[in-house]
Amino acid sequence: MSIAGVLRLAFTGSVEALASADRDRLFHRASSSDTEVRERTAAIIDRVRTGGDAALRALALELDGVTLTELEVPRQRCRAALDALDADLRRALERAAANIATAHRAALPRAFEVETEPGVTVGRRPDPLARVGIYAPGGRAAYPSSVLMEAVPARVAGVGEIILCTPPETTGLPSPVVLAAAELSQVDRVFALGGAGAIAAMSFGTDSVPRVDRVIGPGNAYVAEAKLQLSGVVGIDSPAGPSELLVIADSTADPVAMAREMIAQAEHDPRAAVVVIALDPRTAARIAEAVAERVEAEPRVAIIAEALASSGAILTARDVAQALDFAREYAPEHLLLATDRLDEVLPLVLNAGAVFVGSSSSVSFGDYMTGGNHVLPTGGLARSYSGLSVLDFVRWTSWQRVTPEAAARLGGDVARIADAERLPAHAAAARAWSEGP
């Protein structure tokens, strides 16, 4: 049975047979926005920059249909939300937070000092940021996991103050489960603000919302665009777009498990990109059949079907080396390795936001519970960006120490380089140490 006959996918066939235009469509999935999104985002940013709190209230009424009497959520609301949370859900969130803290604590950067030659010392230390702004999206669903993934590493890194912005519901308050996650992860202040306006508020500061040193977190096209437009005003993490999954599967892979992974990622967004590279045609067909058998029963079938039809692919590669070459170029947010000899394959992987090793290493576990971070680069940016970590919540202070004796030895060579660059004052300052007054 042909793959195309089983399921409607944007791309099928072998990797080698992909037409140039199809390959471009598959690979060029950057999250850059269209002209309308850019212009509307710029207008929102300008309104918040000039109008402050009044502009934020007006935007909440226009875009969310909510009248906000106060922008900040009282702390007791967060405590009450956590107290009222279902006991089993609270236990699961606490477990996730503990695992996130453990994983990120192990990655804390360390200060260092090294003597590059006698009398010359160079050092560097990580300093936690004073205040960060984290964003948790709303809209189609509430995302307490995003709060944990952003706030817990910030707290582990030693950030002084954590500000959360998240969209209000019709009540004028954010989702109770998001408020509970904020309390659980020790967020300092919460604001019922969403979209580009929230990003602008944290970037510029208003009478109510404090200005932050860096804005972190995923969101819709307007949030992503706002972060890009404000990146000269405030630090940001990697730009984020729709969810992505690339699976490399051989004949040992469970086709039903692979189908579950495809469907789970496709349900995020109609623009989600879900790709399987099978190492033989039979494996490709079995995975396609498993997806087709299950997708119609999914509650979010319309979103899943649109994602698969626009950016979904089940392709074949002649061997694992060709599949890994494809993966390096594709640079996915999530890469699932469902092959044998995993210990040999993993060291060969490059350019992935996060790698899930083995069929049982479901991406859903990483999204919620393993402790690895789910805020990851998309749109091929895994070639140059990494997933969120404690490193996103520090800046580095560098220092250098040169003794007078070392200065006398350095002066001559430094002056020669400065002369070559036609910087006579630099040369004179260096030469003075080696030649004396």
Side-chain angles (χ1 to χ4, degrees):
M1 185 182 297
S2 71
I3 293 175
V6 173
L7 185 67
R8 187 180 169 214
L9 293 163
F11 309 97
T12 59
S14 72
V15 168
E16 293 172 320
L18 271 178
S20 178
D22 286 342
R23 193 175 182 86
D24 287 344
R25 281 181 55 209
L26 186 59
F27 279 79
H28 296 164
R29 60 198 191 283
S31 58
S32 59
S33 57
D34 59 29
T35 301
E36 181 182 359
V37 171
R38 286 194 294 271
E39 291 176 351
R40 290 187 65 188
T41 301
I44 290 171
I45 289 172
D46 189 59
R47 285 177 66 180
V48 174
R49 182 180 61 81
T50 57
D53 287 354
L56 292 171
R57 289 191 177 89
L59 287 166
L61 185 59
E62 292 170 23
L63 302 178
D64 300 317
V66 174
T67 299
L68 294 179
T69 55
E70 296 293 336
L71 304 183
E72 185 168 2
V73 178
R75 188 61 183 263
Q76 58 265 33
R77 290 278 191 174
C78 299
R79 296 192 191 100
L82 182 59
D83 290 341
L85 199 63
D86 173 82
D88 288 338
L89 176 57
R90 177 168 179 166
R91 178 186 51 77
L93 290 174
E94 289 173 340
R95 180 182 183 184
N99 286 346
I100 294 166
T102 297
H104 288 74
R105 195 176 294 116
L108 279 169
R110 305 289 194 273
F112 72 87
E113 189 172 88
V114 60
E115 190 174 60
T116 57
E117 62 179 78
V120 180
T121 305
V122 174
R124 205 167 186 237
R125 72 164 189 264
D127 296 323
L129 298 178
R131 181 187 291 133
V132 298
I134 64 175
Y135 185 83
R140 292 189 178 94
Y143 296 98
S145 61
S146 290
V147 178
L148 300 184
M149 291 289 177
E150 298 165 43
V152 172
R155 189 59 68 200
V156 167
V159 168
E161 186 177 23
I162 303 171
I163 306 299
L164 167 65
C165 282
T166 189
E169 296 185 332
T170 55
T171 60
L173 292 170
S175 161
V177 71
V178 169
L179 295 181
E183 181 69 13
L184 182 64
S185 55
Q186 301 177 42
V187 168
D188 293 292
R189 299 176 69 182
V190 179
F191 294 86
L193 297 171
I199 306 303
M202 292 189 286
S203 300
F204 295 122
T206 71
D207 288 342
S208 296
V209 184
R211 182 177 182 177
V212 303
D213 301 317
R214 181 166 291 166
V215 174
I216 299 292
N220 63 17
Y222 293 94
V223 169
E225 179 63 25
K227 288 167 65 178
L228 288 172
Q229 291 190 21
L230 290 164
S231 59
V233 176
V234 68
I236 67 169
D237 57 341
S238 63
S243 186
E244 302 170 356
L245 170 66
L246 175 62
V247 177
I248 297 177
D250 65 13
S251 60
T252 67
D254 178 352
V256 174
M258 298 304 98
R260 288 196 300 261
E261 296 298 322
M262 291 183 69
I263 290 170
Q265 291 306 307
E267 79 170 347
H268 273 293
D269 191 291
R271 298 182 299 146
V274 182
V275 178
V276 170
I277 305 296
L279 301 189
D280 62 87
R282 177 166 173 74
T283 298
R286 291 170 65 199
I287 293 172
E289 290 168 4
V291 175
E293 288 171 1
R294 286 157 180 78
V295 71
E296 291 296 332
E298 291 294 325
R300 294 163 71 89
V301 60
I303 293 172
I304 295 166
E306 185 174 347
L308 295 176
S310 63
S311 302
I314 297 182
L315 304 168
T316 58
R318 63 176 177 269
D319 54 31
V320 71
Q322 186 180 50
L324 288 172
D325 286 343
F326 181 98
R328 287 189 198 101
E329 186 178 354
Y330 190 79
E333 177 189 21
H334 307 101
L335 174 61
L336 174 58
L337 300 176
T339 68
D340 60 0
R341 298 198 299 273
L342 289 167
D343 290 340
E344 298 174 19
V345 175
L346 179 59
L348 303 176
V349 171
L350 294 172
N351 301 347
V355 185
F356 297 80
V357 186
S359 296
S360 59
S361 300
S362 173
V363 175
S364 63
F365 296 150
D367 279 346
Y368 296 113
M369 194 58 68
T370 62
N373 209 291
H374 78 199
V375 181
L376 302 168
T378 62
L381 290 174
R383 289 188 298 271
S384 53
Y385 284 90
S386 305
L388 191 70
S389 75
V390 287
L391 295 177
D392 290 285
F393 298 102
V394 302
R395 62 163 304 283
W396 292 83
T397 296
S398 300
W399 69 87
Q400 301 169 33
R401 183 181 294 115
V402 180
T403 66
E405 295 78 13
R409 296 196 312 273
L410 294 177
D413 280 346
V414 171
R416 292 180 185 93
I417 296 172
D419 284 336
E421 294 186 352
R422 298 181 182 179
L423 295 173
H426 282 66
R431 192 173 284 115
W433 283 100
S434 59
E435 297 180 352

